[in-house]
Amino acid sequence: MKKRIISLLMAYTLIICLLPVQALADEPRETVTRYADGSYIVTSVEESLTARISGTKSGTAIKNYYSNNNVLQWKAVLDATFTYNGSSATCTQVNGLNVTIYDSGWSVGSKSTSKSGNTAYGYLTMERSILGSTQGVPVTLALTCDKNGKLS
């Protein structure tokens, strides 16, 4: 009987110890947008581990574009820095907007960045040639920091 009670207490303690760890785990920061032609964009947010000074946060918003046969065509990365204090957040700097092209059929037509309040923006026009004409595809990246330093 004593062994059973001790086993139950140990199991209960183990469950209680694991619950806070699960509660602190980040929710997924990845979304998928699918298009009628079967292609899709995977959008994700990553926090920089190098800029974890209290009240300052840096991170990236990433868009990976895949063809309808699941081949990565291009990747766009918006990098920005924020300050936050528990009651508000501000985008202090857009550090860059970089594009890596994996399929030579694509090119960058234009790109620019801006910031407003607690959000950094990246604007791209990705271009591809189809049957002798150029098709421009507008792409917007946004990275937002909330008052507690959470990036989305």
Side-chain angles (χ1 to χ4, degrees):
M1 181 72 166
K2 254 185 170 178
K3 287 182 183 180
R4 181 180 259 175
I5 291 172
I6 290 173
S7 294
L8 287 173
L9 283 173
M10 288 177 66
Y12 178 76
T13 303
L14 180 62
I15 291 170
I16 295 299
C17 289
L18 292 178
L19 287 176
V21 172
Q22 291 174 346
L24 293 175
D26 281 341
E27 72 251 13
R29 295 183 178 193
E30 190 172 277
T31 59
V32 178
T33 305
R34 297 193 181 275
Y35 300 103
D37 68 354
S39 64
Y40 58 98
I41 286 183
V42 178
T43 304
S44 59
V45 172
E46 295 179 4
E47 183 178 321
S48 173
L49 297 176
T50 57
R52 288 193 161 210
I53 302 167
S54 180
T56 302
K57 186 76 61 120
S58 290
T60 56
I62 303 164
K63 286 190 183 260
N64 289 303
Y65 177 76
Y66 293 86
S67 66
N68 59 359
N69 57 354
N70 302 315
V71 176
L72 182 59
Q73 303 292 293
W74 51 262
K75 175 181 184 175
V77 180
L78 175 68
D79 185 8
T81 303
F82 303 86
T83 58
Y84 63 95
N85 59 19
S87 61
S88 67
T90 303
C91 178
T92 55
Q93 185 174 356
V94 179
N95 303 316
L97 176 58
N98 298 304
V99 179
T100 305
I101 296 175
Y102 299 97
D103 182 312
S104 61
W106 287 93
S107 63
V108 178
S110 65
K111 69 178 184 175
S112 63
T113 61
S114 68
K115 59 182 179 168
S116 178
N118 64 335
T119 305
Y121 297 98
Y123 306 100
L124 296 167
T125 301
M126 296 301 297
E127 296 180 343
R128 67 177 168 179
S129 296
I130 297 177
L131 300 173
S133 66
T134 301
Q135 175 188 22
V137 179
V139 178
T140 301
L141 292 92
L143 183 61
T144 301
C145 182
D146 74 9
K147 65 182 182 176
N148 298 312
K150 181 179 177 187
L151 299 179
S152 59

mmCIF file of all heavy atoms in Angstrom, residues 112-148:
data_model
loop_
_atom_site.group_PDB
_atom_site.id
_atom_site.type_symbol
_atom_site.label_atom_id
_atom_site.label_comp_id
_atom_site.label_asym_id
_atom_site.label_seq_id
_atom_site.Cartn_x
_atom_site.Cartn_y
_atom_site.Cartn_z
ATOM 1 N N SER A 112 11.235 47.998 -50.727
ATOM 2 C CA SER A 112 11.365 49.138 -49.821
ATOM 3 C C SER A 112 10.907 48.711 -48.431
ATOM 4 O O SER A 112 10.279 47.657 -48.269
ATOM 5 C CB SER A 112 10.526 50.319 -50.313
ATOM 6 O OG SER A 112 9.153 49.984 -50.308
ATOM 7 N N THR A 113 11.241 49.524 -47.446
ATOM 8 C CA THR A 113 10.843 49.247 -46.065
ATOM 9 C C THR A 113 10.272 50.515 -45.437
ATOM 10 O O THR A 113 10.530 51.627 -45.901
ATOM 11 C CB THR A 113 12.032 48.766 -45.209
ATOM 12 O OG1 THR A 113 13.028 49.791 -45.174
ATOM 13 C CG2 THR A 113 12.628 47.475 -45.741
ATOM 14 N N SER A 114 9.522 50.314 -44.365
ATOM 15 C CA SER A 114 9.032 51.442 -43.579
ATOM 16 C C SER A 114 8.717 50.936 -42.183
ATOM 17 O O SER A 114 8.730 49.730 -41.921
ATOM 18 C CB SER A 114 7.794 52.082 -44.213
ATOM 19 O OG SER A 114 6.691 51.202 -44.143
ATOM 20 N N LYS A 115 8.437 51.863 -41.289
ATOM 21 C CA LYS A 115 8.033 51.499 -39.931
ATOM 22 C C LYS A 115 6.944 52.462 -39.489
ATOM 23 O O LYS A 115 6.906 53.627 -39.906
ATOM 24 C CB LYS A 115 9.212 51.527 -38.963
ATOM 25 C CG LYS A 115 9.893 52.869 -38.851
ATOM 26 C CD LYS A 115 11.075 52.809 -37.911
ATOM 27 C CE LYS A 115 11.711 54.209 -37.872
ATOM 28 N NZ LYS A 115 12.663 54.355 -36.809
ATOM 29 N N SER A 116 6.050 51.951 -38.667
ATOM 30 C CA SER A 116 4.966 52.763 -38.134
ATOM 31 C C SER A 116 4.566 52.186 -36.787
ATOM 32 O O SER A 116 4.165 51.016 -36.702
ATOM 33 C CB SER A 116 3.781 52.753 -39.094
ATOM 34 O OG SER A 116 2.709 53.498 -38.559
ATOM 35 N N GLY A 117 4.701 52.977 -35.745
ATOM 36 C CA GLY A 117 4.337 52.501 -34.415
ATOM 37 C C GLY A 117 5.153 51.295 -34.014
ATOM 38 O O GLY A 117 6.380 51.335 -33.994
ATOM 39 N N ASN A 118 4.474 50.197 -33.746
ATOM 40 C CA ASN A 118 5.145 48.976 -33.296
ATOM 41 C C ASN A 118 5.304 47.934 -34.410
ATOM 42 O O ASN A 118 5.497 46.754 -34.139
ATOM 43 C CB ASN A 118 4.380 48.359 -32.123
ATOM 44 C CG ASN A 118 2.988 47.898 -32.511
ATOM 45 O OD1 ASN A 118 2.387 48.394 -33.455
ATOM 46 N ND2 ASN A 118 2.468 46.936 -31.778
ATOM 47 N N THR A 119 5.249 48.395 -35.667
ATOM 48 C CA THR A 119 5.320 47.466 -36.798
ATOM 49 C C THR A 119 6.358 47.908 -37.819
ATOM 50 O O THR A 119 6.455 49.093 -38.139
ATOM 51 C CB THR A 119 3.944 47.342 -37.480
ATOM 52 O OG1 THR A 119 2.973 46.960 -36.499
ATOM 53 C CG2 THR A 119 3.962 46.301 -38.590
ATOM 54 N N ALA A 120 7.119 46.937 -38.316
ATOM 55 C CA ALA A 120 8.053 47.147 -39.431
ATOM 56 C C ALA A 120 7.427 46.512 -40.662
ATOM 57 O O ALA A 120 6.781 45.461 -40.576
ATOM 58 C CB ALA A 120 9.392 46.489 -39.130
ATOM 59 N N TYR A 121 7.622 47.158 -41.815
ATOM 60 C CA TYR A 121 7.058 46.665 -43.066
ATOM 61 C C TYR A 121 8.136 46.508 -44.124
ATOM 62 O O TYR A 121 9.064 47.313 -44.198
ATOM 63 C CB TYR A 121 6.008 47.644 -43.611
ATOM 64 C CG TYR A 121 4.815 47.823 -42.722
ATOM 65 C CD1 TYR A 121 4.727 48.908 -41.863
ATOM 66 C CD2 TYR A 121 3.763 46.910 -42.744
ATOM 67 C CE1 TYR A 121 3.626 49.082 -41.046
ATOM 68 C CE2 TYR A 121 2.659 47.079 -41.928
ATOM 69 C CZ TYR A 121 2.599 48.170 -41.082
ATOM 70 O OH TYR A 121 1.507 48.334 -40.266
ATOM 71 N N GLY A 122 7.968 45.492 -44.951
ATOM 72 C CA GLY A 122 8.795 45.302 -46.128
ATOM 73 C C GLY A 122 7.887 45.118 -47.327
ATOM 74 O O GLY A 122 6.894 44.383 -47.253
ATOM 75 N N TYR A 123 8.194 45.829 -48.403
ATOM 76 C CA TYR A 123 7.377 45.768 -49.614
ATOM 77 C C TYR A 123 8.249 45.316 -50.778
ATOM 78 O O TYR A 123 9.313 45.879 -51.007
ATOM 79 C CB TYR A 123 6.780 47.134 -49.930
ATOM 80 C CG TYR A 123 6.007 47.746 -48.787
ATOM 81 C CD1 TYR A 123 6.606 48.714 -47.983
ATOM 82 C CD2 TYR A 123 4.711 47.344 -48.497
ATOM 83 C CE1 TYR A 123 5.914 49.279 -46.919
ATOM 84 C CE2 TYR A 123 4.022 47.900 -47.444
ATOM 85 C CZ TYR A 123 4.619 48.870 -46.656
ATOM 86 O OH TYR A 123 3.940 49.419 -45.609
ATOM 87 N N LEU A 124 7.778 44.290 -51.486
ATOM 88 C CA LEU A 124 8.508 43.742 -52.634
ATOM 89 C C LEU A 124 7.590 43.636 -53.833
ATOM 90 O O LEU A 124 6.382 43.452 -53.670
ATOM 91 C CB LEU A 124 8.975 42.315 -52.360
ATOM 92 C CG LEU A 124 9.963 42.039 -51.263
ATOM 93 C CD1 LEU A 124 10.006 40.548 -50.991
ATOM 94 C CD2 LEU A 124 11.322 42.526 -51.688
ATOM 95 N N THR A 125 8.166 43.726 -54.995
ATOM 96 C CA THR A 125 7.495 43.258 -56.195
ATOM 97 C C THR A 125 8.399 42.177 -56.768
ATOM 98 O O THR A 125 9.510 42.451 -57.184
ATOM 99 C CB THR A 125 7.295 44.388 -57.223
ATOM 100 O OG1 THR A 125 6.520 45.418 -56.628
ATOM 101 C CG2 THR A 125 6.580 43.870 -58.455
ATOM 102 N N MET A 126 7.919 40.958 -56.683
ATOM 103 C CA MET A 126 8.638 39.841 -57.271
ATOM 104 C C MET A 126 8.145 39.687 -58.697
ATOM 105 O O MET A 126 6.942 39.747 -58.957
ATOM 106 C CB MET A 126 8.398 38.557 -56.476
ATOM 107 C CG MET A 126 8.920 38.603 -55.053
ATOM 108 S SD MET A 126 10.692 38.918 -54.925
ATOM 109 C CE MET A 126 11.377 37.482 -55.736
ATOM 110 N N GLU A 127 9.068 39.517 -59.627
ATOM 111 C CA GLU A 127 8.706 39.426 -61.037
ATOM 112 C C GLU A 127 9.125 38.089 -61.619
ATOM 113 O O GLU A 127 10.169 37.544 -61.255
ATOM 114 C CB GLU A 127 9.366 40.561 -61.825
ATOM 115 C CG GLU A 127 8.875 41.920 -61.413
ATOM 116 C CD GLU A 127 9.520 43.053 -62.186
ATOM 117 O OE1 GLU A 127 10.577 42.826 -62.829
ATOM 118 O OE2 GLU A 127 8.978 44.163 -62.142
ATOM 119 N N ARG A 128 8.295 37.594 -62.550
ATOM 120 C CA ARG A 128 8.647 36.379 -63.280
ATOM 121 C C ARG A 128 8.154 36.504 -64.709
ATOM 122 O O ARG A 128 7.160 37.167 -64.993
ATOM 123 C CB ARG A 128 8.089 35.138 -62.619
ATOM 124 C CG ARG A 128 6.603 35.009 -62.642
ATOM 125 C CD ARG A 128 6.179 33.706 -62.024
ATOM 126 N NE ARG A 128 4.741 33.723 -61.785
ATOM 127 C CZ ARG A 128 4.071 32.736 -61.273
ATOM 128 N NH1 ARG A 128 4.706 31.638 -60.919
ATOM 129 N NH2 ARG A 128 2.774 32.810 -61.106
ATOM 130 N N SER A 129 8.895 35.876 -65.592
ATOM 131 C CA SER A 129 8.537 35.892 -67.010
ATOM 132 C C SER A 129 7.655 34.703 -67.321
ATOM 133 O O SER A 129 7.992 33.563 -66.997
ATOM 134 C CB SER A 129 9.785 35.838 -67.880
ATOM 135 O OG SER A 129 10.555 36.989 -67.677
ATOM 136 N N ILE A 130 6.506 35.002 -67.956
ATOM 137 C CA ILE A 130 5.588 33.946 -68.368
ATOM 138 C C ILE A 130 5.199 34.207 -69.817
ATOM 139 O O ILE A 130 4.619 35.247 -70.134
ATOM 140 C CB ILE A 130 4.326 33.913 -67.479
ATOM 141 C CG1 ILE A 130 4.708 33.598 -66.041
ATOM 142 C CG2 ILE A 130 3.327 32.899 -67.999
ATOM 143 C CD1 ILE A 130 3.561 33.599 -65.072
ATOM 144 N N LEU A 131 5.569 33.282 -70.681
ATOM 145 C CA LEU A 131 5.239 33.367 -72.107
ATOM 146 C C LEU A 131 5.621 34.715 -72.712
ATOM 147 O O LEU A 131 4.844 35.360 -73.408
ATOM 148 C CB LEU A 131 3.744 33.097 -72.320
ATOM 149 C CG LEU A 131 3.247 31.730 -71.850
ATOM 150 C CD1 LEU A 131 1.740 31.650 -71.965
ATOM 151 C CD2 LEU A 131 3.915 30.609 -72.640
ATOM 152 N N GLY A 132 6.811 35.179 -72.411
ATOM 153 C CA GLY A 132 7.330 36.398 -72.998
ATOM 154 C C GLY A 132 6.920 37.697 -72.323
ATOM 155 O O GLY A 132 7.383 38.762 -72.696
ATOM 156 N N SER A 133 6.054 37.639 -71.331
ATOM 157 C CA SER A 133 5.684 38.861 -70.609
ATOM 158 C C SER A 133 6.085 38.739 -69.146
ATOM 159 O O SER A 133 6.240 37.638 -68.620
ATOM 160 C CB SER A 133 4.187 39.145 -70.732
ATOM 161 O OG SER A 133 3.449 38.146 -70.064
ATOM 162 N N THR A 134 6.245 39.881 -68.512
ATOM 163 C CA THR A 134 6.660 39.899 -67.112
ATOM 164 C C THR A 134 5.450 40.103 -66.216
ATOM 165 O O THR A 134 4.650 41.013 -66.432
ATOM 166 C CB THR A 134 7.677 41.031 -66.868
ATOM 167 O OG1 THR A 134 8.806 40.818 -67.724
ATOM 168 C CG2 THR A 134 8.145 41.044 -65.429
ATOM 169 N N GLN A 135 5.327 39.226 -65.225
ATOM 170 C CA GLN A 135 4.240 39.313 -64.260
ATOM 171 C C GLN A 135 4.823 39.790 -62.934
ATOM 172 O O GLN A 135 5.767 39.197 -62.417
ATOM 173 C CB GLN A 135 3.579 37.947 -64.082
ATOM 174 C CG GLN A 135 2.510 37.926 -63.016
ATOM 175 C CD GLN A 135 2.018 36.504 -62.731
ATOM 176 O OE1 GLN A 135 2.703 35.530 -63.011
ATOM 177 N NE2 GLN A 135 0.839 36.412 -62.158
ATOM 178 N N GLY A 136 4.265 40.872 -62.380
ATOM 179 C CA GLY A 136 4.700 41.377 -61.089
ATOM 180 C C GLY A 136 3.790 40.874 -59.980
ATOM 181 O O GLY A 136 2.564 40.901 -60.108
ATOM 182 N N VAL A 137 4.384 40.391 -58.911
ATOM 183 C CA VAL A 137 3.624 39.872 -57.778
ATOM 184 C C VAL A 137 3.977 40.710 -56.547
ATOM 185 O O VAL A 137 5.118 40.666 -56.073
ATOM 186 C CB VAL A 137 3.961 38.387 -57.519
ATOM 187 C CG1 VAL A 137 3.185 37.853 -56.331
ATOM 188 C CG2 VAL A 137 3.711 37.552 -58.759
ATOM 189 N N PRO A 138 3.022 41.498 -56.019
ATOM 190 C CA PRO A 138 3.319 42.299 -54.831
ATOM 191 C C PRO A 138 3.376 41.419 -53.581
ATOM 192 O O PRO A 138 2.563 40.513 -53.411
ATOM 193 C CB PRO A 138 2.148 43.284 -54.762
ATOM 194 C CG PRO A 138 1.041 42.618 -55.492
ATOM 195 C CD PRO A 138 1.670 41.726 -56.519
ATOM 196 N N VAL A 139 4.351 41.689 -52.724
ATOM 197 C CA VAL A 139 4.543 40.921 -51.491
ATOM 198 C C VAL A 139 4.754 41.920 -50.356
ATOM 199 O O VAL A 139 5.559 42.849 -50.478
ATOM 200 C CB VAL A 139 5.774 39.992 -51.594
ATOM 201 C CG1 VAL A 139 5.986 39.232 -50.286
ATOM 202 C CG2 VAL A 139 5.637 39.041 -52.765
ATOM 203 N N THR A 140 4.043 41.724 -49.252
ATOM 204 C CA THR A 140 4.215 42.574 -48.076
ATOM 205 C C THR A 140 4.597 41.701 -46.894
ATOM 206 O O THR A 140 3.965 40.687 -46.635
ATOM 207 C CB THR A 140 2.923 43.351 -47.742
ATOM 208 O OG1 THR A 140 2.562 44.158 -48.855
ATOM 209 C CG2 THR A 140 3.118 44.229 -46.517
ATOM 210 N N LEU A 141 5.649 42.110 -46.183
ATOM 211 C CA LEU A 141 6.043 41.461 -44.941
ATOM 212 C C LEU A 141 5.788 42.447 -43.814
ATOM 213 O O LEU A 141 6.016 43.659 -43.973
ATOM 214 C CB LEU A 141 7.522 41.093 -44.947
ATOM 215 C CG LEU A 141 7.952 39.993 -45.905
ATOM 216 C CD1 LEU A 141 8.381 40.583 -47.219
ATOM 217 C CD2 LEU A 141 9.081 39.189 -45.304
ATOM 218 N N ALA A 142 5.331 41.959 -42.683
ATOM 219 C CA ALA A 142 5.107 42.811 -41.517
ATOM 220 C C ALA A 142 5.612 42.081 -40.283
ATOM 221 O O ALA A 142 5.430 40.873 -40.137
ATOM 222 C CB ALA A 142 3.629 43.145 -41.368
ATOM 223 N N LEU A 143 6.268 42.827 -39.402
ATOM 224 C CA LEU A 143 6.749 42.290 -38.141
ATOM 225 C C LEU A 143 6.307 43.250 -37.052
ATOM 226 O O LEU A 143 6.627 44.436 -37.098
ATOM 227 C CB LEU A 143 8.272 42.145 -38.157
ATOM 228 C CG LEU A 143 8.928 41.533 -36.933
ATOM 229 C CD1 LEU A 143 8.425 40.103 -36.693
ATOM 230 C CD2 LEU A 143 10.437 41.538 -37.077
ATOM 231 N N THR A 144 5.564 42.731 -36.072
ATOM 232 C CA THR A 144 4.990 43.551 -35.013
ATOM 233 C C THR A 144 5.481 43.079 -33.653
ATOM 234 O O THR A 144 5.647 41.886 -33.424
ATOM 235 C CB THR A 144 3.445 43.467 -35.057
ATOM 236 O OG1 THR A 144 3.008 43.926 -36.336
ATOM 237 C CG2 THR A 144 2.804 44.307 -33.978
ATOM 238 N N CYS A 145 5.691 44.027 -32.756
ATOM 239 C CA CYS A 145 6.091 43.725 -31.373
ATOM 240 C C CYS A 145 4.997 44.266 -30.459
ATOM 241 O O CYS A 145 4.570 45.413 -30.591
ATOM 242 C CB CYS A 145 7.425 44.391 -31.064
ATOM 243 S SG CYS A 145 8.071 44.050 -29.412
ATOM 244 N N ASP A 146 4.538 43.442 -29.517
ATOM 245 C CA ASP A 146 3.531 43.933 -28.578
ATOM 246 C C ASP A 146 4.202 44.563 -27.357
ATOM 247 O O ASP A 146 5.426 44.572 -27.232
ATOM 248 C CB ASP A 146 2.523 42.842 -28.205
ATOM 249 C CG ASP A 146 3.069 41.783 -27.265
ATOM 250 O OD1 ASP A 146 4.180 41.919 -26.716
ATOM 251 O OD2 ASP A 146 2.364 40.772 -27.066
ATOM 252 N N LYS A 147 3.408 45.090 -26.454
ATOM 253 C CA LYS A 147 3.923 45.830 -25.300
ATOM 254 C C LYS A 147 4.795 44.991 -24.379
ATOM 255 O O LYS A 147 5.583 45.516 -23.603
ATOM 256 C CB LYS A 147 2.754 46.431 -24.503
ATOM 257 C CG LYS A 147 1.859 45.384 -23.867
ATOM 258 C CD LYS A 147 0.703 46.015 -23.124
ATOM 259 C CE LYS A 147 -0.137 44.932 -22.455
ATOM 260 N NZ LYS A 147 -1.191 45.518 -21.662
ATOM 261 N N ASN A 148 4.674 43.655 -24.465
ATOM 262 C CA ASN A 148 5.470 42.757 -23.632
ATOM 263 C C ASN A 148 6.644 42.143 -24.371
ATOM 264 O O ASN A 148 7.323 41.261 -23.853
ATOM 265 C CB ASN A 148 4.576 41.642 -23.079
ATOM 266 C CG ASN A 148 3.487 42.198 -22.203
ATOM 267 O OD1 ASN A 148 3.741 43.019 -21.326
ATOM 268 N ND2 ASN A 148 2.262 41.783 -22.451
#
